[in-house]
């Protein structure tokens, strides 16, 4: 089997969460080979040692790639629009050409079942595969469509299957920078808004209950599925849990259902990386 290329972007503060994600990935994808590609802004080699050791223990490749500032000359870069927000959309430009596709994961995710099926998904010529969060109300989806002038569902950018080869042909950094410059006052989740506004028609929809399950909304998923997507179904069928929003399961007083599962993987990660 070919090596699955896994891409993430983060700052040093999220390295502990990355290690939890990697622990869940390894335990639930036995026999798979991964290459972890990390786009970052100057995380020190010392800070990356733990992640490097973890990947080595799994016999995975680890490719930390610092991003040069030169690409962002003239780009709208502020506290609200840090250069890091552009990294996932600019991945085709930033990654070596040997990488033809990648699965992008936010570090606030858990992988609780195999992901090869996502990796092997036929994109049918699209740039990305992504999920819209069906547990969120149709009203919110409509508001985002009106706000961005789109007709498709509003896709979450935390889990993306990316055709990097096609992206090198179609995604132009200057176009992204110009869009942000022209629409900066109307962008709420800037990188996600840009993904939807500029490339939403080039996204293949995938099921969020399998590939990007919003961990805040168990009750909504259960209700919308007439009781089918219960806890047992999720544990057996969902591959990627996404801990969206400001509340995070590694913080005190997290109240949502899957917090205890996340803490289980936190404990396993501590044992592995001690």
């Amino acid at each position: 089997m070919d090596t699955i290329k896994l891409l993430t972007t983060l700052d040093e503060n999220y390295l502990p969460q990355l290690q939890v994600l990697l622990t869940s990935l390894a335990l639930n994808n036995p026999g798979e080979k991964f290459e972890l590609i990390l786009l970052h802004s100057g995380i020190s080699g010392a800070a990356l040692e733990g992640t490097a050791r973890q990947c080595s223990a799994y016999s995975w490749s680890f490719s930390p790639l610092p991003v040069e500032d030169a690409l962002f000359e003239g780009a709208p870069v502020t506290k609200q629009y840090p250069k890091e927000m552009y990294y996932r959309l600019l991945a085709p430009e930033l990654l070596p050409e040997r990488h033809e596709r990648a699965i992008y994961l936010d570090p606030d995710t858990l992988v609780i079942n195999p992901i090869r099926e996502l990796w092997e998904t036929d994109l049918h010529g699209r740039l990305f595969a992504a999920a819209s969060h069906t547990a969120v109300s149709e009203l919110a989806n409509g508001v985002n469509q009106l706000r961005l002038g789109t007709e498709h569902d509003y896709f979450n950018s935390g889990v993306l299957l990316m055709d990097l080869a096609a992206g090198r042909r179609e995604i132009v950094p200057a176009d992204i920078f110009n869009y942000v410059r022209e629409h900066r006052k109307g962008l709420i989740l800037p990188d996600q808004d840009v993904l939807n506004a500029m490339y939403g028609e080039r996204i293949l929809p995938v099921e969020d209950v399998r590939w990007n399950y919003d961990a805040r909304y168990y009750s909504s998923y259960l209700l919308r599925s007439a009781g089918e997507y219960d806890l047992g179904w999720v544990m057996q069928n969902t591959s990627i849990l996404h801990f969206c929003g400001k509340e995070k399961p590694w913080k005190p007083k997290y109240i949502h259902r899957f917090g205890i599962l996340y803490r289980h993987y936190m404990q396993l990660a501590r044992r592995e990386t001690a």
Side-chain angles (χ1 to χ4, degrees), residues 36-83:
L36 174 64
I37 307 157
L38 171 59
L39 293 173
H40 67 94
S41 298
I43 302 176
S44 70
L48 292 172
E49 284 180 2
T51 303
R53 286 195 303 269
Q54 190 177 13
C55 289
S56 178
Y58 299 147
S59 298
W60 297 351
S61 301
F62 178 42
S63 303
L65 299 177
V67 179
E68 300 295 332
D69 289 340
L71 180 62
F72 300 93
E73 290 182 6
V77 175
T78 64
K79 184 177 181 180
Q80 185 181 1
Y81 304 108
K83 63 183 181 181

Side-chain angles (χ1 to χ4, degrees), residues 118-238:
L118 178 62
W119 172 249
E120 294 180 346
T121 295
D122 186 344
L123 286 169
H124 300 286
R126 309 287 182 93
L127 290 174
F128 305 99
S132 57
H133 279 150
T134 58
V136 180
S137 72
E138 290 299 323
L139 176 61
N141 199 37
V143 168
N144 285 318
Q145 290 173 337
L146 181 63
R147 185 170 60 83
L148 298 173
T150 59
E151 296 182 356
H152 53 76
D153 287 343
Y154 186 73
F155 295 102
N156 182 271
S157 62
V159 179
L160 298 170
L161 175 63
M162 315 175 79
D163 185 336
L164 299 170
R168 292 185 184 103
R169 297 189 296 269
E170 295 188 37
I171 296 176
V172 179
D175 291 346
I176 294 174
F177 301 152
N178 287 335
Y179 182 88
V180 173
R181 188 176 294 109
E182 293 171 8
H183 298 86
R184 62 199 317 168
K185 292 183 179 179
L187 301 179
I188 297 175
L189 298 171
D191 51 347
Q192 190 162 277
D193 285 352
V194 172
L195 172 73
N196 279 273
M198 295 188 69
Y199 306 108
E201 298 293 341
R202 304 286 287 120
I203 295 175
L204 177 74
V206 295
E207 291 183 288
D208 61 327
V209 288
R210 293 198 61 208
W211 303 116
N212 192 345
Y213 185 105
D214 190 330
R216 297 171 294 182
Y217 295 120
Y218 172 80
S219 296
S220 295
Y221 284 117
L222 188 65
L223 181 63
R224 290 172 69 97
S225 67
E228 181 182 0
Y229 300 153
D230 60 10
L231 192 57
W233 189 97
V234 172
M235 296 304 297
Q236 185 174 351
N237 294 281
T238 296

